[in-house]
Amino acid sequence: MPAAEVRGVVLEAGKIFDPVKEAETVGVRGMIPEEGGKALARHRLDDNCERQLSNAVNVAYSMSYTFHAMSSFFRRDDVALTGLGKFYIKRSTAEREDALDLSRYLLRRGGRVKLMGLCQPKMNYDEPSKGDALYAMELTVAMEKLQYEKYLALSKAAEEAKDMELQDYVCTKYLHPQVKLIKKHSEYVSQLRRVGKGQGTYLFDRVLKSKMK
């Protein structure tokens, strides 16, 4: 049986992979940088994917910050829609956990997380024609659709870089769940439109609170 050649390495007959020979041929220094400050774990992480991942971290933190503000509004004593207050603090916590998960993933890939400044969120959601609950929930659906676009851009960047691992991670952990969130919260918008302001919103809030116990 003739000798096999893998990545320029001539192997003995019957062998398909010699890790040491391959590593030596590729060059250990080429695979593992010796300079300080460079990531040893980085492998096939495209620069654009790194930027998009870092952006996704900042988007998730911004969403968490905004949902915290919305929760604070509905927990005010002159608003007293505590179900919505609880709903938004849970959404805030979930987004913060997403930001941490994205950060950990980026670091596992040998990337660098760059945190940006957060914009001060809107602090008053009272809208005379729609009411505060409906206005806030419509705003929530719009923000979640925009966040979906951010994750989609990250998935496209991974596809262009032929980074299948990153693409699978984004689709499984973020794109698919985001579609479910948009659907669920769109239903809340429809329900709030049906019940109207005042007592209808109050009853919606009570039901929402009971679902989160």
Side-chain angles (χ1 to χ4, degrees):
M1 184 182 292
E5 185 172 337
V6 181
R7 295 169 63 101
V9 181
V10 178
L11 304 176
E12 296 177 18
K15 294 183 179 180
I16 60 171
F17 180 58
D18 187 327
V20 174
K21 279 190 177 181
E22 286 229 31
E24 289 175 343
T25 301
V26 173
V28 175
R29 290 185 180 181
M31 300 292 283
I32 305 176
E34 295 184 350
E35 301 92 330
K38 288 197 173 182
L40 300 176
R42 189 177 186 125
H43 186 58
R44 294 186 177 275
L45 178 63
D46 180 74
D47 288 343
N48 185 40
C49 290
E50 181 181 23
R51 284 192 295 272
Q52 296 280 8
L53 271 166
S54 195
N55 288 342
V57 172
N58 286 281
V59 167
Y61 272 129
S62 297
M63 292 285 283
S64 176
Y65 200 40
T66 299
F67 286 144
H68 192 161
M70 295 171 89
S71 175
S72 297
F73 171 80
F74 286 109
R75 287 174 182 264
R76 280 170 29 181
D77 60 352
D78 61 333
V79 180
L81 291 173
T82 53
L84 283 161
K86 189 173 183 179
F87 166 79
Y88 280 114
I89 203 64
K90 288 187 72 173
R91 290 293 299 115
S92 175
T93 300
E95 291 293 343
R96 185 169 65 252
E97 289 173 352
D98 285 349
L100 291 171
D101 182 73
L102 286 159
S103 298
R104 286 191 291 264
Y105 177 84
L106 180 51
L107 292 170
R108 282 199 303 272
R109 292 292 304 272
R112 296 292 182 259
V113 179
K114 294 182 180 179
L115 296 179
M116 311 297 286
L118 296 173
C119 297
Q120 181 178 359
K122 180 181 175 69
M123 295 298 294
N124 193 322
Y125 300 89
D126 190 18
E127 210 280 340
S129 63
K130 295 183 178 181
D132 44 20
L134 175 56
Y135 174 70
M137 197 60 70
E138 287 181 343
L139 193 61
T140 299
V141 173
M143 290 191 299
E144 285 170 346
K145 286 183 177 181
L146 290 171
Q147 189 176 28
Y148 177 88
E149 295 298 321
K150 301 292 184 183
Y151 289 139
L152 188 61
L154 174 56
S155 177
K156 287 180 178 179
E159 182 181 16
E160 290 171 0
K162 295 181 172 57
D163 192 334
M164 292 178 288
E165 202 276 338
L166 173 57
Q167 193 173 15
D168 178 70
Y169 167 77
V170 176
C171 289
T172 303
K173 294 208 68 174
Y174 295 99
L175 281 175
H176 296 330
Q178 196 69 16
V179 168
K180 294 179 180 179
L181 278 177
I182 292 169
K183 171 64 162 58
K184 179 181 177 181
H185 299 159
S186 295
E187 290 174 350
Y188 288 164
V189 168
S190 296
Q191 291 167 9
L192 284 164
R193 286 177 177 176
R194 285 180 179 276
V195 300
K197 297 187 294 182
Q199 186 177 4
T201 294
Y202 173 78
L203 293 174
F204 171 89
D205 184 75
R206 296 300 91 194
V207 173
L208 183 63
K209 186 174 183 180
S210 68
K211 290 180 178 179
M212 288 184 289
K213 289 184 179 179

